[in-house]
């Protein structure tokens, strides 16, 4: 199984400041034949299902604000919120869809400082 | 706009079988464009993929469920279902259905649409 490790477990950021979440996979998620990283990021607000923000490690889903960005390749990935807004308070998960069983990171809780 | 909606009992007795159904609207399961998944979230915890099914009936499961899970599809009703047998308190969780784009045999995209989730409690 591919193990997804997120850090930190939680972080508190002031409104308007940058939040950075890291995700490390135990195996390479870059598929050489199409040069895509099989890595997605999700946002889960309290009481809500997860919502996809980023796919292919850096492609922003339709309607996702451009303050959210994804980067990285291979085994190391980052989700950045460039200017934290109140509505961004949530738990964020990374997920690999490179191989089954599909696996998620443990989550990072983002709060307002 | 595609929507997924889980339904089923909210309380299941230990050692019994948990049964849930996901009804898909706004799109056809038979299109062949997606895998249809079940994912669960233990209270206050992270996400665990249970398995998925293709419209043809092909299935893939998480080995961690030790063969207790069975996913089936009913294309005539545009639904897919989960059965989890011999449940214990450790199976208490919010269960989500979700879809992932089909990209080839056992190759897929991320989960782009999710249901709202349904809490299933295992207790006598």
């Amino acid at each position: 199984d591919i193990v997804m490790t997120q850090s930190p477990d939680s972080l508190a950021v002031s409104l308007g400041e940058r939040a950075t979440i890291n995700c490390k996979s135990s195996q390479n998620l870059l598929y050489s034949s199409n040069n895509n990283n099989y890595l997605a990021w999700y946002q889960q607000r309290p009481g809500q299902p997860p919502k996809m923000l980023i796919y292919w490690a850096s492609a922003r889903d339709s309607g996702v604000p451009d303050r959210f960005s994804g980067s990285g390749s291979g085994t190391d990935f980052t989700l950045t919120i460039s200017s934290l807004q109140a509505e961004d308070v949530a738990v964020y998960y990374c997920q690999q869809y490179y191989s089954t069983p599909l696996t998620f990171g443990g989550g990072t809780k983002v709060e307002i400082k | 706009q595609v929507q997924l909606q889980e339904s089923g009992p909210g309380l299941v007795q230990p050692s019994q079988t948990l049964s849930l159904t996901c009804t898909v609207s706004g799109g056809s399961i038979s299109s062949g464009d997606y895998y249809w998944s079940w994912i669960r979230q233990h209270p206050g915890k992270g996400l665990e993929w249970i398995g998925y099914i293709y419209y043809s009936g092909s299935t893939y499961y998480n080995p961690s469920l030790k063969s207790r899970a069975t996913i089936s599809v009913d294309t005539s009703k545009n639904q897919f279902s989960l059965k989890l047998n011999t449940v214990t308190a450790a199976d208490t969780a919010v269960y989500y259905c979700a879809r992932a784009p089909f990209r080839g045999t056992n190759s897929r995209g991320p989960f782009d649409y999710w249901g709202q989730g349904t809490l299933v409690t295992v207790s006598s």
Side-chain angles (χ1 to χ4, degrees), chain A residues 23-43:
Chain A
C23 175
K24 188 174 185 66
S25 61
S26 63
Q27 297 178 33
N28 178 36
L29 302 184
L30 177 63
Y31 193 38
S32 57
S33 66
N34 59 19
N35 205 37
N36 282 330
N37 285 283
Y38 282 55
L39 187 283
W41 288 97
Y42 300 87
Q43 174 193 65

Side-chain angles (χ1 to χ4, degrees), chain B residues 24 27-36 53-57 73 75 78 99-109:
Chain B
V24 179
S28 173
I29 285 180
S30 298
S31 70
D33 292 333
Y34 300 97
Y35 282 110
W36 303 93
I53 192 165
Y54 192 51
Y55 82 101
S56 62
V73 65
T75 54
N78 222 32
R99 78 171 197 183
F102 174 83
R103 297 184 64 85
T105 301
N106 201 22
S107 179
R108 82 302 299 162

Side-chain angles (χ1 to χ4, degrees), chain A residues 1 34 36 38 40 42 44 48-50 52 55-56 93 95 97-102 104 106, chain B residues 39 41 45-49 52 60 62-63 96 103 106-112 114-116:
Chain A
D1 298 8
N34 59 19
N36 282 330
Y38 282 55
Y42 300 87
Q44 187 176 32
Q48 295 294 313
M52 186 177 70
Y55 58 98
W56 302 130
Y93 295 94
Q95 180 237 336
Y97 46 101
Y98 185 91
S99 67
T100 54
L102 308 179
F104 294 83
Chain B
I39 297 156
Q41 187 170 35
K45 302 296 184 183
L47 298 157
E48 179 183 27
W49 175 71
Y52 60 54
Y60 299 88
N62 192 331
Y96 296 100
R103 297 184 64 85
N106 201 22
S107 179
R108 82 302 299 162
F111 299 112
D112 59 357
W114 297 63
Q116 285 297 306

Side-chain angles (χ1 to χ4, degrees), chain A:
Chain A
D1 298 8
I2 297 177
V3 177
M4 306 298 292
T5 304
Q6 284 184 236
S7 62
D9 292 337
S10 65
L11 74 162
V13 176
S14 300
L15 289 172
E17 296 300 305
R18 179 185 300 263
T20 301
I21 300 168
N22 300 302
C23 175
K24 188 174 185 66
S25 61
S26 63
Q27 297 178 33
N28 178 36
L29 302 184
L30 177 63
Y31 193 38
S32 57
S33 66
N34 59 19
N35 205 37
N36 282 330
N37 285 283
Y38 282 55
L39 187 283
W41 288 97
Y42 300 87
Q43 174 193 65
Q44 187 176 32
R45 294 182 174 127
Q48 295 294 313
K51 172 190 172 185
M52 186 177 70
L53 299 175
I54 303 286
Y55 58 98
W56 302 130
S58 61
R60 197 180 301 115
D61 195 22
S62 175
V64 173
D66 60 7
R67 63 180 180 272
F68 291 93
S69 63
S71 61
S73 185
T75 61
D76 292 280
F77 302 91
T78 300
L79 175 69
T80 302
I81 310 172
S82 61
S83 175
L84 191 75
Q85 305 299 303
E87 60 266 32
D88 300 335
V89 168
V91 179
Y92 294 83
Y93 295 94
C94 60
Q95 180 237 336
Q96 66 81 17
Y97 46 101
Y98 185 91
S99 67
T100 54
L102 308 179
T103 50
F104 294 83
T108 296
K109 186 174 185 179
V110 174
E111 300 173 307
I112 305 294
K113 184 187 291 183

Side-chain angles (χ1 to χ4, degrees), chain B residues 45-97:
Chain B
K45 302 296 184 183
L47 298 157
E48 179 183 27
W49 175 71
I50 296 170
Y52 60 54
I53 192 165
Y54 192 51
Y55 82 101
S56 62
S58 297
T59 51
Y60 299 88
Y61 297 105
N62 192 331
S64 69
L65 276 298
K66 294 183 171 59
S67 302
R68 294 191 296 125
T70 301
I71 300 175
S72 58
V73 65
D74 186 338
T75 54
S76 67
K77 295 182 179 178
N78 222 32
Q79 295 175 334
F80 63 106
S81 298
L82 169 70
K83 290 189 185 298
L84 186 65
N85 60 35
T86 322
V87 297
T88 69
D91 295 308
T92 294
V94 174
Y95 286 76
Y96 296 100
C97 56

